[in-house]
Amino acid sequence: MECYRHKKVETNVRCGKCDKPICPKCMIPGPAGMRCPDCASLRSTALYQIHPARLALAAVVGLVVGIFGAFACSMLSYWVIFAGPIFGGVEAQAILWASGRKRGPMLEVIGIGSIIIGYIITMLPSILLMFNPPAATTPGIDPGMAWGIARIVWHLVGAGLAISACYGRLKYM
């Protein structure tokens, strides 16, 4: 039998999905044996085809959850170590729900972008406090600058933990 794409190449292997004969050049490892290039393409699966309206809804839901979640995490200071991954998981679940349980790189970008935008919005008061502190009563270390830096560090820790949890949930689960 000859390969369906390369007519002069003899083969004894068939695609595990469509049963077409394939040669070693055409073989792509799949979940249940070798696949032909047509069947191995992930673009053809409905899981990765997201309707634009669902994508827009996922972006809006992700942004709302991202802003509220970042605001909630900003109130927790060092407890954000525990709350950040929970926030990232909730963000991913909200985006998956809004997209109709679809997957794909666009949803990962929406999830990560929503968390980043939420944290930027909640970090603005800390940044403004850092560069425009209230009148200092004692000379020396400016309490506004120290307080602003400490809050920004916890914001960044929370954002990193939330982003890693959200990305892992959207990509692998």
Side-chain angles (χ1 to χ4, degrees):
M1 121 178 86
E2 294 90 22
C3 175
Y4 84 102
R5 293 178 81 188
H6 306 102
K7 298 296 181 195
K8 297 189 187 247
V9 179
E10 289 286 326
T11 184
N12 289 326
V13 180
R14 292 183 173 271
C15 173
K17 189 172 183 181
C18 68
D19 210 33
K20 292 178 187 172
I22 51 176
C23 69
K25 289 180 187 174
C26 296
M27 289 181 197
I28 299 173
M34 294 298 169
R35 299 274 171 101
C36 67
D38 299 332
C39 294
S41 172
L42 287 178
R43 286 173 276 140
S44 62
T45 180
L47 186 62
Y48 290 93
Q49 296 172 354
I50 306 168
H51 192 273
R54 284 285 193 168
L55 200 59
L57 178 63
V60 169
V61 168
L63 196 57
V64 169
V65 172
I67 291 170
F68 283 115
F71 181 74
C73 284
S74 71
M75 301 296 174
L76 299 175
S77 67
Y78 63 88
W79 290 102
V80 79
I81 293 172
F82 303 107
I86 294 170
F87 164 46
V90 168
E91 175 80 19
Q93 280 301 113
I95 290 171
L96 287 172
W97 169 80
S99 69
R101 309 301 295 169
K102 302 286 186 174
R103 301 291 175 146
M106 277 307 294
L107 293 179
E108 296 162 13
V109 169
I110 289 172
I112 292 170
S114 298
I115 293 171
I116 289 172
I117 289 170
Y119 269 101
I120 287 173
I121 290 171
T122 58
M123 282 174 56
L124 282 177
S126 299
I127 292 170
L128 293 175
L129 180 66
M130 204 168 78
F131 291 112
N132 191 14
T137 55
T138 58
I141 297 175
D142 184 16
M145 180 71 81
W147 178 248
I149 291 172
R151 286 189 55 87
I152 286 174
V153 167
W154 287 116
H155 280 299
L156 294 175
V157 168
L161 291 169
I163 286 170
S164 65
C166 180
Y167 178 77
R169 179 75 178 99
L170 289 173
K171 178 87 173 177
Y172 301 113
M173 290 186 181

